[in-house]
Amino acid sequence: MHGLRQYQVEAVNAVFEKLRSTKESTLAVLPTGAGKSHIISVLAGESAANGKRVLILQHRKELITQNMIKLQTAYPDLSVSALSAGLGQSDPGGDVLFAGVQTAASARFVESAEGDTKEFNHDLGHRDLILIDEAHRVPQIGGQFHDIFQQYPNARRVGVTATPYRTGFGSISGSDRQFDSIAYSAGMRGLCSEGYLCGFISRGAEAEIDLSSVGYSRGEFNASEAEEAAEKVVSQGVDEILSLAFDRRHIIVFASGVAHAQSVAFEFNERGVPAACVIGDMPAEWREEEIRRFKRGEARVLVNCSVLCEGFDSPWVDCVALMRATISPGLFVQMCGRGSRPLNGKSNCLLLDFGGNFGRHGFVEDVDGSNYDKSAADTVKGEPVTKVCPGPLCRAIVACAARTCPDCGHEFPKPKPKVSSGATKAGEARQTYLVNDMEFELWDRKETHSMKVTYGLGGYSDLSTWVCLEHKGFARQKAVEWWQQHSDHPCPSTVNEALAHISEIGIRQPIEVDVVKKDGEQWPRLENYKFSDDPELITTFGIPDEELPF
């Protein structure tokens, strides 16, 4: 199918199957660097080749140009046109129409006998299918996207995104959300392990931005206060980048503001390291020339302020420095994803965090923002999910449960036990039991599997918990929390990966666990796993007798 990778073929087939079998609007979710534009091209091309008229909505003129070229190369016989004020193109007649969102939604109010009525400036003609790139930009209600959708109430809608969630709102799919369902989802960790994406090395900076006096505004850190805090560590931060990324040739820096970006670029250039700088209000031709300098290798560093978060395609990037903090899981993933594209000779991408972003969101391969339906303050005040190794010249970012650093062997001090009154809450019975053994098995339930973990408890019957590694939202969040308690390694994206890890490397067995029975609940639950300083690693599995291989 036009040279697509296997997972891209699966994505296309899953979307078409969803369109055939339901009336739902749906999503294809793939990580940054996984080739979403190729999937859009095939969805549009195959639909148009079968007589459907397609509208592709994109928010940047550069993306329109890139994706038009890809579509016309793959389907040279199709009628393709563009509607974009930024490109100076206003031909809405193609069977496949690429349109800028602002241009397509532009309208005017016309006086009539019934009062002022809204008339759109452009007639886009009949459309059977609307494809939305970067679909996480679609708000729940109102706005330009919905103005366009209302013109085509019978058109099918398909969104493509790497981050199917919005800060303060959570998932964009499901009942009463922007899209009804997710037709296909590919995890970043799985594509990295298969070689389709570049793996990451993550380091926490010593010159971390002090956010203690920074407030919040509209679900994010206050921009001016965050920039002021970041300005205090510019010189130290640039020195640290050059130290930790000494062997990296294409470094992207995400700055906290325009003035901060310019300060960072200045410090690099002062040290004899050529640095380009792109900011939002820069003339387009200047910005494009700075990006070309970086891609040609004339500038080793490309500093930007909110310009390269989406749509920037450069597989040469081998280091991403986050000299800014964000509460948005989507923005965090998008920034890190600039280094995810593979390239011959590029073994990994180095991620440098100056804003405490990994502690806030976790490893980029595991981020699931579908549960981020809470306030900015609640997000920031939550328990960190990673920590930074203080070992000399290390600074590796590791899971909070790690006892030793997998990179340098540094041993973390034993965590102080949490103070508890020991009192049982009203309506629950709680008792602590010794854990004698653990068993693991695949719990097969149609499309989405879970890992069944059975704890053998001294003085109590065996109890099981289900670790929902392949689920979304809250269930996935709880699975990641369970894994981080039981392993120092990043959380797998599938049950099979988890079982393979347990078989080959092992997993920590707790020494004790609380069994909790609450009023109104049929089954007891397991809480408060306790581990020894040197926990035993378990590598056994529970295998039904009829499945024994002899």
Side-chain angles (χ1 to χ4, degrees), residues 97-165:
L97 172 60
F98 286 85
V101 176
Q102 289 184 330
T103 306
S106 64
R108 62 189 183 278
F109 287 94
V110 179
E111 293 184 4
S112 67
E114 293 79 21
D116 290 350
T117 59
K118 190 175 186 178
E119 290 189 3
F120 289 90
N121 295 333
H122 304 280
D123 181 3
L124 309 186
H126 173 75
R127 298 293 160 183
D128 301 291
L129 174 65
I130 301 176
L131 299 174
I132 305 103
D133 193 13
E134 306 293 358
H136 54 275
R137 289 179 164 269
V138 178
Q140 185 178 16
I141 57 174
Q144 294 175 327
F145 282 100
H146 291 279
D147 286 344
I148 297 169
F149 298 158
Q150 288 171 8
Q151 296 182 70
Y152 304 97
N154 297 320
R156 307 302 303 276
R157 296 203 306 272
V158 175
V160 182
T161 182
T163 51
Y165 38 79

Side-chain angles (χ1 to χ4, degrees), residues 218-376:
R218 301 179 66 182
E220 184 56 281
F221 289 111
N222 180 280
S224 60
E225 294 176 2
E227 183 173 18
E228 182 179 352
E231 286 280 8
K232 297 176 181 178
V233 293
V234 169
S235 181
Q236 184 183 351
V238 168
D239 286 338
E240 193 166 2
I241 291 173
L242 293 177
S243 174
L244 293 173
F246 68 92
D247 58 344
R248 305 291 162 153
R249 301 268 66 86
H250 289 82
I251 303 170
I252 284 186
V253 178
F254 286 93
S256 297
V258 171
H260 181 237
Q262 294 168 334
S263 298
V264 171
F266 175 82
E267 292 291 336
F268 276 112
N269 285 308
E270 280 288 291
R271 289 159 174 75
V273 179
C277 182
V278 292
I279 54 180
D281 58 358
M282 178 182 288
E285 61 271 19
W286 293 9
R287 183 169 65 244
E288 291 164 5
E289 176 55 28
E290 290 288 86
I291 292 174
R292 283 194 292 267
R293 285 182 57 217
F294 177 73
K295 289 185 175 182
R296 291 194 299 257
E298 297 169 8
R300 181 183 171 194
V301 180
L302 179 58
V303 186
N304 82 104
C305 173
S306 302
V307 174
L308 306 178
C309 299
E310 297 172 345
F312 177 73
D313 185 358
S314 180
W316 296 276
V317 174
D318 54 5
C319 175
V320 176
L322 306 179
M323 298 188 79
R324 64 159 296 170
T326 181
I327 294 172
S328 166
L331 179 57
F332 172 63
V333 171
Q334 294 282 0
M335 290 189 295
C336 294
R338 297 309 110 197
S340 66
R341 288 174 172 81
L343 184 70
N344 289 336
K346 173 183 169 183
S347 57
N348 55 58
C349 177
L350 175 64
L351 302 178
L352 303 179
D353 184 16
F354 291 80
N357 297 293
F358 279 82
R360 209 169 294 119
H361 303 296
F363 293 102
V364 64
E365 302 96 324
D366 300 323
V367 172
D368 177 8
S370 58
N371 63 310
Y372 274 65
D373 53 355
K374 49 191 176 182
S375 70

